[in-house]
Amino acid sequence: GEDVEQSLFLSVREGDSSVINCTYTDSSSTYLYWYKQEPGAGLQLLTYIFSNMDMKQDQRLTVLLNKKDKHLSLRIADTQTGDSAIYFCALSSNTGKLIFGQGTTLQVKP
Amino acid sequence: DGGITQSPKYLFRKEGQNVTLSCEQNLNHDAMYWYRQDPGQGLRLIYYSQIVNDFQKGDIAEGYSVSREKKESFPLTVTSAQKNPTAFYLCASSKDRVWGNTEAFFGQGTRLTVV
């Protein structure tokens, strides 16, 4: 079945870049997403990329997709303390379901 | 304003009781989902519904039940058969386009605690 893997924790200093990685097994996904979850809240969509793209940039966010290696990454430039949260990658499956990774907790130190 | 609303935000249940979590959306979305979130385990799919009066089991459906009598509503009942119900429950909805953009919108969650 579909599987999505993320590392659980990342710590960076304020002003540095953060790179959150995600690997997956289902190569048929047409859309891949990054969601952000702040403590005690639901998930908010940050950005998404269509599977025929290699890169998408949206202000401080850069998404890179390597379909050959089934690897998705989210880069946050100039990371701020307000970026501290859990970040989830998610894929649309061929049944229309969204499959989520375990989430990466990003800790930003001042 | 369009959105998805979960209630209550906090819920306490005695062992052996059934409880129902509410989820309502006014986004005119066809698909609705229930996820359970435990620390370090990400989101696990409990049930999902792609159309009114139809729903499918997710990965951890045992001990849960749902109904989809209206497009806007997808309540989740946590039954006494669920052995470890204490968790954070998230409801989501999407336009449900297979092979299309299934961007999901989430509610703010319900934290259920068994006392």
Side-chain angles (χ1 to χ4, degrees):
Chain A
E2 308 100 337
D3 194 23
V4 180
E5 296 281 338
Q6 297 178 243
S7 54
L8 293 182
F9 187 77
L10 175 66
S11 181
V12 301
R13 293 232 171 255
E14 191 173 19
D16 288 349
S17 292
S18 307
V19 179
I20 302 170
N21 295 300
C22 175
T23 58
Y24 58 94
T25 56
D26 183 2
S27 59
S28 65
S29 298
T30 51
Y31 286 86
L32 301 96
Y33 306 85
W34 283 104
Y35 283 86
K36 177 183 180 182
Q37 183 183 34
E38 298 192 357
L43 277 67
Q44 289 183 301
L45 180 69
L46 279 178
T47 187
Y48 66 88
I49 188 168
F50 188 53
S51 58
N52 68 353
M53 299 169 65
D54 298 322
M55 184 182 84
K56 179 179 179 181
Q57 187 149 6
D58 184 1
Q59 299 182 330
R60 291 191 297 123
L61 305 178
T62 303
V63 179
L64 295 177
L65 175 60
N66 182 327
K67 288 191 72 175
K68 176 176 172 289
D69 294 339
K70 298 181 185 177
H71 183 266
L72 179 72
S73 68
L74 173 70
R75 179 176 179 269
I76 305 172
D78 187 26
T79 313
Q80 303 297 307
T81 54
D83 294 324
S84 294
I86 303 176
Y87 291 81
F88 291 91
C89 68
L91 282 62
S92 57
S93 70
N94 59 7
T95 59
K97 290 190 300 181
L98 274 180
I99 309 297
F100 286 85
Q102 308 96 311
T104 299
T105 298
L106 175 63
Q107 179 189 65
V108 183
K109 296 179 181 177
Chain B
D1 287 335
I4 181 164
T5 303
Q6 289 186 242
S7 62
K9 189 169 174 65
Y10 299 96
L11 186 58
F12 296 89
R13 187 194 96 172
K14 292 183 180 179
E15 286 195 30
Q17 283 183 336
N18 293 355
V19 288
T20 298
L21 284 60
S22 169
C23 180
E24 304 276 335
Q25 54 97 1
N26 60 5
L27 299 165
N28 199 34
H29 284 169
D30 291 311
M32 297 186 75
Y33 310 82
W34 275 105
Y35 291 91
R36 171 179 170 142
Q37 186 177 22
D38 296 283
Q41 292 196 44
L43 274 66
R44 292 185 289 168
L45 183 63
I46 305 172
Y47 268 98
Y48 67 104
S49 167
Q50 294 172 309
I51 196 169
V52 175
N53 291 323
D54 189 41
F55 47 83
Q56 287 79 39
K57 292 182 180 180
D59 302 317
I60 55 164
E62 185 175 350
Y64 299 97
S65 66
V66 292
S67 62
R68 187 83 187 279
E69 297 175 1
K70 298 186 297 183
K71 189 175 186 177
E72 307 80 42
S73 179
F74 191 41
L76 173 74
T77 297
V78 183
T79 75
S80 56
Q82 170 48 236
K83 299 303 179 191
N84 186 20
T86 294
F88 190 53
Y89 291 87
L90 286 162
C91 180
S93 69
S94 73
K95 290 181 181 178
D96 182 38
R97 300 214 177 118
V98 179
W99 301 114
N101 189 346
T102 50
E103 174 190 346
F105 293 79
F106 282 81
Q108 289 299 298
T110 293
R111 186 164 297 282
L112 173 64
T113 304
V114 173
V115 296

